Amino acid sequence: MEASRPIGVFDSGIGGLTVASAIHRQLPEERIIYFGDTAHLPYGEKSHDAIRYFSLRISRFLLERDCKAIVVACNSASTAAYDVLLEFFQDKAIFVNVVDPLVQAALEVPHQQIGLIATHATVQSGVYEKLFSRADPSASLKSLATPLLVPMIEEGFVHNDISRSVLETYLSDPRLKDIDVLLLACTHYPLIRPEIEGHYGGTVRVLDATEYTARALRDALATRNQLSPKKTDADHFFVSDYSENFARTTRLFYTESIFLERCNIWSDH
Ligand code: DGL
């Protein structure tokens, strides 16, 4: 395997750029090929079967571009499709999801009552509950679907009256009562992490997966001697549907200005 081959990163849309951004920061010599399935978002409202089908096709696209590793940046896809991706492709690339690094991070901080907010698809999967009960049967996890947060963040409603009121309503749900750790299990939520931390005033440890996922990728590459010594080509950012709106939204999620390339992998069958 050639270590200079790219890293594939995929998401239902633009939000996965929070993960790509952490990878870019921690692994500046790695070349990224990003795929945002903007034609099908939001995955959080789709069935697990649909998310599996999309994830398999996107992974095939990234493998055709010679990716040595594929990062499933989307929480909904990580919970619905990761096992199927391994079944089909684990001999072809290294696969990293956003769930395992976040669970690991939560287990390493003092915890008793853990809360989790995410999309409907992630919450309904029950994957986090399964992983926690396996790793630490004494830990209790309470999950809450918070579907309004994705459109709210994409519209730039952060640190204003609307975001405060939406967050207040969700975070005061009885299911999240008495938590000491809150997991932000969605690509978009790192953007409102300071606001969520502000809500709790330091009484709850708030964790998101971005930096932990980049670290898990680095460790997986290092173990296999696959860290790229030097970046040989530019990053590429593909989307299955392009609109000015998507281009505008990228600015919220990626610090550098990037160029979205339309590549409709769904029209070829
Ligand atoms: N990327 C999705 C996730 O992390 C959020 C947006 C969507 O529902 O497509 O679950």
Side-chain angles (χ1 to χ4, degrees), residues 100-152:
D100 295 319
L102 186 57
V103 169
Q104 197 50 45
L107 290 169
E108 282 165 17
V109 300
H111 61 270
Q112 274 173 345
Q113 184 94 346
I114 302 170
L116 176 145
I117 54 173
T119 64
H120 282 302
T122 295
V123 170
Q124 281 159 7
S125 74
V127 165
Y128 282 91
E129 280 80 359
K130 206 169 71 195
L131 291 172
F132 274 109
S133 70
R134 206 181 289 158
D136 179 2
S138 70
S140 133
L141 178 74
K142 295 280 156 37
S143 304
L144 179 71
T146 49
L148 275 183
L149 297 184
V150 164
M152 180 187 94

Short mmCIF file of all heavy atoms in Angstrom, two decimals, residues 100-152:
data_model
loop_
_atom_site.label_atom_id
_atom_site.label_comp_id
_atom_site.label_asym_id
_atom_site.label_seq_id
_atom_site.Cartn_x
_atom_site.Cartn_y
_atom_site.Cartn_z
N ASP A 100 -16.96 5.08 17.74
CA ASP A 100 -16.01 4.43 18.66
C ASP A 100 -15.08 5.44 19.35
O ASP A 100 -14.87 5.34 20.56
CB ASP A 100 -15.20 3.35 17.91
CG ASP A 100 -16.09 2.22 17.44
OD1 ASP A 100 -16.97 1.81 18.22
OD2 ASP A 100 -15.93 1.76 16.30
N PRO A 101 -14.51 6.43 18.61
CA PRO A 101 -13.62 7.38 19.30
C PRO A 101 -14.35 8.20 20.37
O PRO A 101 -13.79 8.52 21.42
CB PRO A 101 -13.11 8.29 18.17
CG PRO A 101 -13.29 7.49 16.92
CD PRO A 101 -14.51 6.66 17.15
N LEU A 102 -15.63 8.52 20.12
CA LEU A 102 -16.39 9.32 21.09
C LEU A 102 -16.73 8.48 22.33
O LEU A 102 -16.63 8.96 23.47
CB LEU A 102 -17.67 9.86 20.43
CG LEU A 102 -18.51 10.83 21.24
CD1 LEU A 102 -17.71 12.05 21.69
CD2 LEU A 102 -19.73 11.30 20.45
N VAL A 103 -17.10 7.23 22.12
CA VAL A 103 -17.40 6.34 23.25
C VAL A 103 -16.14 6.16 24.09
O VAL A 103 -16.16 6.26 25.33
CB VAL A 103 -17.93 4.98 22.73
CG1 VAL A 103 -17.99 3.95 23.86
CG2 VAL A 103 -19.31 5.15 22.10
N GLN A 104 -15.02 5.94 23.42
CA GLN A 104 -13.74 5.77 24.12
C GLN A 104 -13.42 7.00 24.97
O GLN A 104 -13.04 6.90 26.14
CB GLN A 104 -12.64 5.53 23.07
CG GLN A 104 -11.35 4.94 23.61
CD GLN A 104 -11.60 3.71 24.48
OE1 GLN A 104 -12.38 2.83 24.12
NE2 GLN A 104 -10.98 3.68 25.66
N ALA A 105 -13.61 8.19 24.37
CA ALA A 105 -13.32 9.44 25.09
C ALA A 105 -14.22 9.58 26.31
O ALA A 105 -13.78 10.01 27.38
CB ALA A 105 -13.51 10.63 24.15
N ALA A 106 -15.49 9.21 26.17
CA ALA A 106 -16.43 9.32 27.29
C ALA A 106 -16.05 8.37 28.42
O ALA A 106 -16.18 8.69 29.59
CB ALA A 106 -17.85 9.03 26.82
N LEU A 107 -15.55 7.19 28.04
CA LEU A 107 -15.18 6.21 29.06
C LEU A 107 -13.95 6.67 29.84
O LEU A 107 -13.73 6.26 30.97
CB LEU A 107 -14.89 4.84 28.41
CG LEU A 107 -16.12 4.11 27.84
CD1 LEU A 107 -15.69 2.91 27.01
CD2 LEU A 107 -17.06 3.67 28.97
N GLU A 108 -13.16 7.57 29.21
CA GLU A 108 -11.93 8.01 29.87
C GLU A 108 -12.12 9.21 30.79
O GLU A 108 -11.20 9.60 31.49
CB GLU A 108 -10.86 8.33 28.79
CG GLU A 108 -10.23 7.05 28.26
CD GLU A 108 -9.45 7.22 26.98
OE1 GLU A 108 -9.11 8.38 26.65
OE2 GLU A 108 -9.18 6.20 26.32
N VAL A 109 -13.30 9.84 30.78
CA VAL A 109 -13.55 10.93 31.73
C VAL A 109 -14.48 10.40 32.84
O VAL A 109 -15.20 9.42 32.61
CB VAL A 109 -14.20 12.18 31.05
CG1 VAL A 109 -13.30 12.73 29.96
CG2 VAL A 109 -15.59 11.86 30.51
N PRO A 110 -14.44 11.03 34.03
CA PRO A 110 -15.34 10.56 35.09
C PRO A 110 -16.78 10.64 34.61
O PRO A 110 -17.20 11.66 34.06
CB PRO A 110 -15.09 11.56 36.23
CG PRO A 110 -13.78 12.20 35.92
CD PRO A 110 -13.62 12.17 34.43
N HIS A 111 -17.52 9.56 34.75
CA HIS A 111 -18.89 9.55 34.23
C HIS A 111 -19.77 8.64 35.07
O HIS A 111 -19.30 7.64 35.59
CB HIS A 111 -18.90 9.04 32.78
CG HIS A 111 -18.37 7.64 32.65
ND1 HIS A 111 -17.05 7.37 32.45
CD2 HIS A 111 -18.99 6.43 32.75
CE1 HIS A 111 -16.87 6.06 32.41
NE2 HIS A 111 -18.02 5.47 32.59
N GLN A 112 -21.02 9.04 35.18
CA GLN A 112 -22.01 8.15 35.81
C GLN A 112 -23.25 8.10 34.94
O GLN A 112 -23.63 7.08 34.43
CB GLN A 112 -22.36 8.67 37.21
CG GLN A 112 -21.39 8.14 38.23
CD GLN A 112 -21.59 8.74 39.58
OE1 GLN A 112 -22.26 9.75 39.76
NE2 GLN A 112 -20.99 8.11 40.57
N GLN A 113 -23.77 9.31 34.74
CA GLN A 113 -24.98 9.42 33.92
C GLN A 113 -24.59 10.17 32.63
O GLN A 113 -24.28 11.36 32.69
CB GLN A 113 -26.01 10.22 34.71
CG GLN A 113 -27.33 10.34 34.05
CD GLN A 113 -28.28 9.24 34.53
OE1 GLN A 113 -27.88 8.27 35.15
NE2 GLN A 113 -29.54 9.40 34.23
N ILE A 114 -24.58 9.47 31.52
CA ILE A 114 -24.14 10.09 30.26
C ILE A 114 -25.37 10.44 29.42
O ILE A 114 -26.29 9.62 29.28
CB ILE A 114 -23.22 9.13 29.48
CG1 ILE A 114 -22.01 8.75 30.35
CG2 ILE A 114 -22.75 9.77 28.17
CD1 ILE A 114 -21.17 7.65 29.78
N GLY A 115 -25.39 11.63 28.87
CA GLY A 115 -26.45 12.03 27.96
C GLY A 115 -25.92 12.08 26.54
O GLY A 115 -24.71 12.23 26.33
N LEU A 116 -26.81 11.93 25.58
CA LEU A 116 -26.38 11.98 24.18
C LEU A 116 -27.45 12.70 23.37
O LEU A 116 -28.65 12.43 23.56
CB LEU A 116 -26.17 10.56 23.65
CG LEU A 116 -25.82 10.37 22.18
CD1 LEU A 116 -24.86 9.20 22.02
CD2 LEU A 116 -27.05 10.14 21.31
N ILE A 117 -27.04 13.62 22.51
CA ILE A 117 -28.00 14.23 21.58
C ILE A 117 -27.53 13.96 20.16
O ILE A 117 -26.32 13.95 19.88
CB ILE A 117 -28.20 15.75 21.85
CG1 ILE A 117 -26.89 16.52 21.85
CG2 ILE A 117 -28.95 15.97 23.16
CD1 ILE A 117 -27.07 18.04 21.93
N ALA A 118 -28.48 13.72 19.27
CA ALA A 118 -28.15 13.29 17.91
C ALA A 118 -29.40 13.33 17.04
O ALA A 118 -30.47 13.77 17.50
CB ALA A 118 -27.59 11.85 17.95
N THR A 119 -29.26 12.85 15.81
CA THR A 119 -30.41 12.77 14.91
C THR A 119 -31.31 11.59 15.32
O THR A 119 -30.90 10.72 16.10
CB THR A 119 -29.95 12.51 13.46
OG1 THR A 119 -29.31 11.23 13.42
CG2 THR A 119 -29.01 13.60 12.97
N HIS A 120 -32.48 11.54 14.69
CA HIS A 120 -33.37 10.39 14.93
C HIS A 120 -32.68 9.08 14.56
O HIS A 120 -32.78 8.10 15.29
CB HIS A 120 -34.64 10.52 14.06
CG HIS A 120 -35.64 11.49 14.59
ND1 HIS A 120 -36.18 11.38 15.84
CD2 HIS A 120 -36.19 12.60 14.04
CE1 HIS A 120 -37.04 12.37 16.05
NE2 HIS A 120 -37.06 13.13 14.97
N ALA A 121 -32.01 9.05 13.40
CA ALA A 121 -31.40 7.79 12.93
C ALA A 121 -30.37 7.29 13.94
O ALA A 121 -30.33 6.09 14.25
CB ALA A 121 -30.75 7.99 11.56
N THR A 122 -29.55 8.19 14.46
CA THR A 122 -28.52 7.78 15.42
C THR A 122 -29.16 7.29 16.71
O THR A 122 -28.79 6.23 17.23
CB THR A 122 -27.56 8.96 15.71
OG1 THR A 122 -26.86 9.26 14.50
CG2 THR A 122 -26.57 8.64 16.81
N VAL A 123 -30.13 8.04 17.23
CA VAL A 123 -30.76 7.63 18.49
C VAL A 123 -31.48 6.29 18.31
O VAL A 123 -31.35 5.39 19.14
CB VAL A 123 -31.72 8.74 18.99
CG1 VAL A 123 -32.58 8.24 20.15
CG2 VAL A 123 -30.92 9.97 19.40
N GLN A 124 -32.21 6.16 17.19
CA GLN A 124 -32.98 4.93 17.00
C GLN A 124 -32.09 3.69 16.79
O GLN A 124 -32.53 2.57 17.00
CB GLN A 124 -33.94 5.09 15.81
CG GLN A 124 -35.18 5.89 16.20
CD GLN A 124 -35.90 6.50 15.01
OE1 GLN A 124 -35.56 6.24 13.86
NE2 GLN A 124 -36.87 7.36 15.29
N SER A 125 -30.86 3.92 16.37
CA SER A 125 -29.97 2.76 16.12
C SER A 125 -29.65 2.00 17.41
O SER A 125 -29.38 0.79 17.36
CB SER A 125 -28.66 3.24 15.48
OG SER A 125 -27.84 3.86 16.46
N GLY A 126 -29.62 2.71 18.55
CA GLY A 126 -29.25 2.05 19.81
C GLY A 126 -27.78 1.63 19.88
O GLY A 126 -27.38 0.91 20.79
N VAL A 127 -26.97 2.08 18.93
CA VAL A 127 -25.58 1.63 18.87
C VAL A 127 -24.77 2.12 20.07
O VAL A 127 -23.99 1.37 20.67
CB VAL A 127 -24.92 2.10 17.54
CG1 VAL A 127 -23.40 1.99 17.59
CG2 VAL A 127 -25.45 1.27 16.38
N TYR A 128 -24.95 3.38 20.45
CA TYR A 128 -24.21 3.90 21.61
C TYR A 128 -24.56 3.12 22.88
O TYR A 128 -23.68 2.78 23.67
CB TYR A 128 -24.49 5.39 21.81
CG TYR A 128 -23.74 6.29 20.84
CD1 TYR A 128 -24.30 6.65 19.62
CD2 TYR A 128 -22.47 6.77 21.16
CE1 TYR A 128 -23.62 7.48 18.75
CE2 TYR A 128 -21.78 7.59 20.28
CZ TYR A 128 -22.36 7.95 19.08
OH TYR A 128 -21.67 8.76 18.21
N GLU A 129 -25.85 2.84 23.08
CA GLU A 129 -26.28 2.08 24.26
C GLU A 129 -25.56 0.73 24.30
O GLU A 129 -25.06 0.30 25.33
CB GLU A 129 -27.79 1.85 24.24
CG GLU A 129 -28.64 3.02 24.69
CD GLU A 129 -28.82 4.09 23.60
OE1 GLU A 129 -28.26 3.92 22.49
OE2 GLU A 129 -29.50 5.09 23.87
N LYS A 130 -25.50 0.11 23.12
CA LYS A 130 -24.89 -1.23 23.03
C LYS A 130 -23.40 -1.15 23.40
O LYS A 130 -22.90 -1.94 24.19
CB LYS A 130 -25.06 -1.76 21.60
CG LYS A 130 -25.06 -3.26 21.52
CD LYS A 130 -25.50 -3.78 20.18
CE LYS A 130 -24.44 -3.50 19.12
NZ LYS A 130 -24.91 -3.64 17.75
N LEU A 131 -22.71 -0.15 22.84
CA LEU A 131 -21.27 -0.04 23.10
C LEU A 131 -20.99 0.28 24.56
O LEU A 131 -20.06 -0.27 25.15
CB LEU A 131 -20.65 1.03 22.19
CG LEU A 131 -20.62 0.67 20.70
CD1 LEU A 131 -20.17 1.86 19.86
CD2 LEU A 131 -19.70 -0.52 20.45
N PHE A 132 -21.80 1.18 25.15
CA PHE A 132 -21.57 1.52 26.56
C PHE A 132 -21.86 0.34 27.47
O PHE A 132 -21.11 0.06 28.39
CB PHE A 132 -22.40 2.74 26.99
CG PHE A 132 -21.72 4.03 26.68
CD1 PHE A 132 -22.18 4.85 25.68
CD2 PHE A 132 -20.58 4.41 27.38
CE1 PHE A 132 -21.55 6.04 25.37
CE2 PHE A 132 -19.93 5.60 27.08
CZ PHE A 132 -20.41 6.42 26.08
N SER A 133 -22.95 -0.36 27.20
CA SER A 133 -23.28 -1.44 28.12
C SER A 133 -22.24 -2.54 28.03
O SER A 133 -21.96 -3.24 29.00
CB SER A 133 -24.69 -1.96 27.89
OG SER A 133 -24.74 -2.63 26.68
N ARG A 134 -21.60 -2.66 26.87
CA ARG A 134 -20.55 -3.67 26.72
C ARG A 134 -19.28 -3.24 27.47
O ARG A 134 -18.65 -4.02 28.15
CB ARG A 134 -20.24 -3.83 25.23
CG ARG A 134 -19.68 -5.20 24.89
CD ARG A 134 -19.36 -5.30 23.42
NE ARG A 134 -20.52 -5.37 22.54
CZ ARG A 134 -20.50 -5.06 21.25
NH1 ARG A 134 -19.40 -4.61 20.68
NH2 ARG A 134 -21.58 -5.18 20.51
N ALA A 135 -18.93 -1.92 27.33
CA ALA A 135 -17.66 -1.45 27.90
C ALA A 135 -17.75 -1.15 29.39
O ALA A 135 -16.79 -1.35 30.13
CB ALA A 135 -17.20 -0.21 27.15
N ASP A 136 -18.89 -0.64 29.84
CA ASP A 136 -19.02 -0.25 31.25
C ASP A 136 -20.48 -0.41 31.67
O ASP A 136 -21.27 0.53 31.62
CB ASP A 136 -18.58 1.22 31.42
CG ASP A 136 -18.73 1.67 32.86
OD1 ASP A 136 -19.13 0.85 33.71
OD2 ASP A 136 -18.44 2.85 33.13
N PRO A 137 -20.84 -1.61 32.11
CA PRO A 137 -22.24 -1.88 32.46
C PRO A 137 -22.78 -0.95 33.54
O PRO A 137 -24.00 -0.78 33.66
CB PRO A 137 -22.22 -3.33 32.95
CG PRO A 137 -20.95 -3.90 32.42
CD PRO A 137 -19.97 -2.78 32.27
N SER A 138 -21.89 -0.29 34.32
CA SER A 138 -22.38 0.60 35.38
C SER A 138 -22.77 1.98 34.83
O SER A 138 -23.44 2.76 35.50
CB SER A 138 -21.32 0.76 36.47
OG SER A 138 -20.25 1.52 35.96
N ALA A 139 -22.33 2.29 33.61
CA ALA A 139 -22.64 3.61 33.04
C ALA A 139 -24.06 3.61 32.48
O ALA A 139 -24.49 2.65 31.84
CB ALA A 139 -21.66 3.94 31.92
N SER A 140 -24.77 4.71 32.74
CA SER A 140 -26.12 4.77 32.17
C SER A 140 -26.15 5.84 31.09
O SER A 140 -25.61 6.93 31.25
CB SER A 140 -27.09 5.04 33.32
OG SER A 140 -27.99 6.04 32.99
N LEU A 141 -26.73 5.50 29.95
CA LEU A 141 -26.77 6.43 28.81
C LEU A 141 -28.22 6.78 28.50
O LEU A 141 -29.07 5.91 28.33
CB LEU A 141 -26.13 5.79 27.58
CG LEU A 141 -26.16 6.66 26.32
CD1 LEU A 141 -25.15 7.79 26.42
CD2 LEU A 141 -25.89 5.84 25.07
N LYS A 142 -28.49 8.09 28.38
CA LYS A 142 -29.82 8.55 28.01
C LYS A 142 -29.69 9.36 26.72
O LYS A 142 -28.94 10.34 26.67
CB LYS A 142 -30.40 9.46 29.12
CG LYS A 142 -30.62 8.73 30.43
CD LYS A 142 -31.92 7.93 30.38
CE LYS A 142 -32.01 6.76 31.31
NZ LYS A 142 -31.45 6.84 32.60
N SER A 143 -30.41 8.95 25.68
CA SER A 143 -30.29 9.62 24.38
C SER A 143 -31.54 10.42 24.05
O SER A 143 -32.66 10.00 24.35
CB SER A 143 -30.09 8.58 23.28
OG SER A 143 -28.98 7.79 23.58
N LEU A 144 -31.31 11.52 23.37
CA LEU A 144 -32.43 12.37 22.96
C LEU A 144 -32.22 12.83 21.52
O LEU A 144 -31.15 13.36 21.18
CB LEU A 144 -32.49 13.61 23.89
CG LEU A 144 -33.60 14.61 23.58
CD1 LEU A 144 -34.96 14.04 23.97
CD2 LEU A 144 -33.35 15.92 24.34
N ALA A 145 -33.23 12.60 20.67
CA ALA A 145 -33.14 13.11 19.28
C ALA A 145 -33.42 14.61 19.30
O ALA A 145 -34.40 15.06 19.91
CB ALA A 145 -34.14 12.37 18.41
N THR A 146 -32.55 15.36 18.62
CA THR A 146 -32.69 16.83 18.62
C THR A 146 -32.66 17.33 17.16
O THR A 146 -31.74 18.06 16.77
CB THR A 146 -31.55 17.45 19.46
OG1 THR A 146 -30.30 16.88 19.05
CG2 THR A 146 -31.73 17.19 20.94
N PRO A 147 -33.66 16.92 16.38
CA PRO A 147 -33.60 17.16 14.93
C PRO A 147 -33.62 18.63 14.49
O PRO A 147 -33.20 18.93 13.38
CB PRO A 147 -34.84 16.42 14.40
CG PRO A 147 -35.74 16.28 15.57
CD PRO A 147 -34.86 16.17 16.77
N LEU A 148 -34.09 19.52 15.36
CA LEU A 148 -34.12 20.93 14.94
C LEU A 148 -32.74 21.56 14.87
O LEU A 148 -32.55 22.61 14.25
CB LEU A 148 -34.96 21.75 15.94
CG LEU A 148 -36.46 21.80 15.75
CD1 LEU A 148 -37.08 22.72 16.80
CD2 LEU A 148 -36.81 22.32 14.36
N LEU A 149 -31.76 20.92 15.53
CA LEU A 149 -30.46 21.58 15.64
C LEU A 149 -29.72 21.69 14.30
O LEU A 149 -29.03 22.67 14.04
CB LEU A 149 -29.57 20.87 16.67
CG LEU A 149 -30.09 20.89 18.12
CD1 LEU A 149 -29.09 20.23 19.06
CD2 LEU A 149 -30.40 22.31 18.58
N VAL A 150 -29.85 20.66 13.44
CA VAL A 150 -29.12 20.71 12.15
C VAL A 150 -29.57 21.90 11.29
O VAL A 150 -28.74 22.73 10.91
CB VAL A 150 -29.22 19.35 11.40
CG1 VAL A 150 -28.82 19.51 9.94
CG2 VAL A 150 -28.32 18.32 12.07
N PRO A 151 -30.88 22.02 10.98
CA PRO A 151 -31.28 23.19 10.18
C PRO A 151 -31.00 24.51 10.89
O PRO A 151 -30.64 25.51 10.25
CB PRO A 151 -32.78 22.99 9.95
CG PRO A 151 -33.21 21.91 10.86
CD PRO A 151 -32.01 21.10 11.22
N MET A 152 -31.12 24.52 12.20
CA MET A 152 -30.86 25.75 12.95
C MET A 152 -29.41 26.21 12.75
O MET A 152 -29.15 27.38 12.44
CB MET A 152 -31.12 25.48 14.45
CG MET A 152 -30.90 26.65 15.35
SD MET A 152 -31.04 26.18 17.10
CE MET A 152 -29.31 25.86 17.48
#
